[in-house]
């Protein structure tokens, strides 16, 4: 109930800004570092940023990526991702990260914590800093 009320008030607050994406709800201006996928610690370094409304960017263990994210909060949906093509020993972890990211459909931002999830029960936990 409290979560629904909080989401509702956040939706009303952003109606004036014109940006209804995750950027307007506390995700912008931070580098979100992946901590875990589906409850298991992620074995490599991966990050996610929201550089401007409707855009995402980040870095996997090997490559950087960018794309769009225009679904209104609390929904999450990436458009096609443009990914650089460098080889490294972490490619399997990178593939798992990018695959999971593209499967996420919901987002929740609370301070320095970002949780992406989907209806199938998958979850990605990020922590953020400036």
């Amino acid at each position: 109930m409290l979560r629904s009320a909080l989401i509702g008030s956040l939706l009303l607050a952003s109606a004036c800004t014109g940006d209804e994406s995750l950027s307007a709800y506390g995700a912008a201006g931070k580098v979100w570092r992946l901590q875990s996928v589906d409850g298991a610690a992620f074995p490599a370094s991966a990050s996610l940023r929201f550089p401007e409304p409707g855009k995402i960017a980040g870095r996997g263990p090997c490559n950087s990526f960018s794309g769009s994210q225009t679904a209104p909060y609390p929904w999450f949906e990436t458009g096609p991702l443009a990914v650089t093509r460098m080889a490294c020993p972490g490619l399997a972890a990178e593939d798992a990260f990018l695959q999971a990211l593209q499967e996420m459909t919901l987002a929740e931002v609370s301070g320095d914590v970002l949780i992406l999830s989907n209806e199938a029960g998958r979850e990605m936990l990020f922590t953020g800093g400036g």
Side-chain angles (χ1 to χ4, degrees), residues 35-48:
Q35 302 300 310
S36 64
V37 176
D38 301 330
F42 191 69
S45 175
S47 64
L48 179 62

Side-chain angles (χ1 to χ4, degrees), residues 9 21 23 28-29 40 45 47 50 54 62 69 72 86 92 102 107 110-111 124:
S9 66
S21 72
S23 299
S45 175
S47 64
F50 299 87
C62 302
Q69 196 288 303
M86 304 270 302
Q102 291 180 308
S110 180
M124 300 176 82

